[in-house]
Amino acid sequence: MMTDRGTFSLEKTLAMKPDVVVLAKWQYDTLKAEIPRFETANIPVVVVDYNDQSVANHTNSTKIFGQIAGTEQRANQAAQEYADGIADIQKRVKAVGTAKPKIYIEFGDKGPQEHSFTFGKNMWGAIADTVGGENISKPFVENWGPINPEQLLVNKPDVIIISGTEVGMKQTDAMAMGIDISADEAQRRLKGFTTRNGWENLPAVKNNRVYGIYHTASRSLSDLASAQFMAKTLYPEAFKDVDPEKTYTEFHEKYLPVKPSGTFFIQLGCGASLCKDKASAVEQAAPTEAAPQTLSWWDKLVNWLRHLFT
C-alpha cells in the first residue's frame, strides 16, 4: 500500500491489513513512533526514497518495488537504464569543462505575484547539482521554501526554470504544465513570470534562457528526462543530440500503461520543447513590433467621433 500526504490514515491502514506498507522516507520519519503497531499486526513496512533525487536511492527504491512485486528483472533493468542515463549526462558535462552556469528553479503554483518554493539540496535542487548547475537557492534554502526576491536578483541566474502541474489551470496566471496542457497555454503563463520587477535585467531573461518543466516529472525514474532537459538548458551544445521529450515518452511506453499527452518541457517563445538555435529563440520570444501607422487628420476625426458615440 502506497500512501501520500493527503490520504494516509494509520488506523485505516491497520484495519485493512495490507500485505505490505510502503512508506516514503519522510513518512517513515514522521511515523517512527507508530512502527511497532505495524510489527504487532504482522504487517511488514518497507521504506523507499525518491525525494532525495540520488541515483543510489532511486535505483535501490526501484529494486525494492521489483522484489515486492516479483518483477526483479524488470525493475533492475529500469534502474540500470536510469543509472546509465545519469552517467551519460555527467560525462558530457565533465567534458565541457567550463564554470557551472547559475540556475534558479521555482514551483510556479502562486503565479508571478508571489515567489513560491524553490529548492535547496533535494528534488529539483538535487537534480541541478547532478547535472552540473550552480543552484543559487542552495545557500538560502535547505530543502524547499521561498527565496528572498532580492537574493535572486543579486545572484543573476543564467537559467530559470519554472515548474508547474495541471492544478495550475485553476488559477489565472499560475504555471501550468502536464497532461492535456497545451503548449500555447504553458507559454502564456511562463511569459508572465518574466514580468516580475527586476527580472528584465537577469541574464536568463535577457538571453531567453527561461524554461517550463512538469513538476510531477520528478521523484521517479521518469525524471531522467527532466535531468536531461535541465542539463540541456545549462549546456545546450553538449546535449544537441539529446531529446528529453523522447526519453520521457519512451519511458512511459516501455514501463507504464499510459502514454502521456500534453506539455512537459518548454523554452519560452519556442514551438517545440527547446529552441533550435539562439537566433530563433530571441526572435520568437521577442517578436519585432510593427511600426506604428501615421493617421491622417480625417482618420483621427473619424476615430474620435466613433469613440464618442460608442
Side-chain angles (χ1 to χ4, degrees):
M1 176 177 181
M2 192 66 178
T3 62
D4 60 40
R5 294 179 188 270
T7 62
F8 183 81
S9 168
L10 178 60
E11 301 301 332
K12 289 181 180 179
T13 302
L14 289 168
M16 288 188 290
K17 298 181 179 180
D19 296 320
V20 62
V21 170
V22 180
L23 299 176
K25 183 178 179 297
W26 68 264
Q27 291 174 315
Y28 176 79
D29 292 340
T30 303
L31 295 169
K32 270 184 181 178
E34 304 295 341
I35 297 302
R37 298 181 63 184
F38 290 106
E39 295 172 347
T40 301
N42 294 317
I43 300 173
V45 176
V46 175
V47 179
V48 296
D49 184 6
Y50 287 96
N51 276 28
D52 183 57
Q53 289 292 163
S54 69
V55 174
N57 284 0
H58 262 42
T59 56
N60 288 337
S61 297
T62 301
K63 291 175 182 178
I64 287 172
F65 277 116
Q67 292 169 1
I68 293 173
T71 55
E72 289 95 334
Q73 182 176 353
R74 180 179 173 85
N76 291 344
Q77 178 183 347
Q80 189 60 53
E81 289 173 359
Y82 182 85
D84 291 344
I86 295 296
D88 176 68
I89 292 173
Q90 294 181 324
K91 180 180 178 181
R92 290 170 183 254
V93 171
K94 185 177 180 180
V96 174
T98 59
K100 293 181 178 181
K102 295 180 179 180
I103 185 171
Y104 171 73
I105 311 110
E106 180 184 329
F107 183 32
D109 63 322
K110 296 182 179 178
Q113 288 73 31
E114 182 179 352
H115 287 64
S116 188
F117 289 173
T118 183
F119 306 88
K121 67 180 183 181
N122 60 16
M123 289 186 62
W124 293 121
I127 294 180
D129 285 342
T130 297
V131 303
E134 182 183 338
N135 177 16
I136 68 166
S137 301
K138 192 173 182 179
F140 311 108
V141 177
E142 182 177 2
N143 293 312
W144 53 80
I147 191 174
N148 186 311
E150 292 183 0
Q151 292 171 330
L152 168 59
L153 296 176
V154 168
N155 280 275
K156 300 183 182 301
D158 301 297
V159 170
I160 292 174
I161 297 180
I162 306 295
S163 69
T165 69
E166 297 84 357
V167 178
M169 291 297 292
K170 295 181 179 180
Q171 301 181 47
T172 303
D173 53 4
M175 190 60 195
M177 298 282 292
I179 305 297
D180 294 334
I181 304 297
S182 71
D184 287 344
E185 183 63 24
Q187 286 282 353
R188 181 188 71 79
R189 291 166 180 263
L190 180 60
K191 187 175 182 179
F193 285 84
T194 66
T195 64
R196 284 174 167 170
N197 289 335
W199 277 42
E200 71 276 7
N201 298 317
L202 295 177
V205 176
K206 290 194 291 186
N207 297 320
N208 197 58
R209 299 179 71 181
V210 179
Y211 306 85
I213 197 168
Y214 185 32
H215 190 71
T216 308
S218 64
R219 296 164 291 174
S220 74
L221 290 190
S222 69
D223 63 42
L224 172 60
S226 300
Q228 289 179 340
F229 179 76
M230 193 177 294
K232 194 165 185 173
T233 68
L234 294 165
Y235 305 97
E237 293 299 317
F239 291 87
K240 273 187 173 181
D241 61 325
V242 176
D243 186 348
E245 194 94 32
K246 181 180 178 182
T247 299
Y248 191 69
T249 300
E250 288 182 348
F251 178 86
H252 282 75
E253 290 175 343
K254 190 172 184 178
Y255 293 110
L256 296 170
V258 177
K259 181 179 178 180
S261 177
T263 305
F264 309 100
F265 311 101
I266 58 169
Q267 181 176 2
L268 182 62
C270 298
S273 61
L274 284 172
C275 295
K276 294 181 179 180
D277 54 62
K278 293 181 180 179
S280 64
V282 174
E283 182 180 346
Q284 293 183 61
T288 304
E289 295 184 0
Q293 295 182 344
T294 303
L295 299 177
S296 68
W297 68 268
W298 174 254
D299 290 328
K300 292 178 180 178
L301 177 61
V302 170
N303 287 342
W304 180 79
L305 289 171
R306 184 182 294 117
H307 175 74
L308 184 64
F309 292 104
T310 299

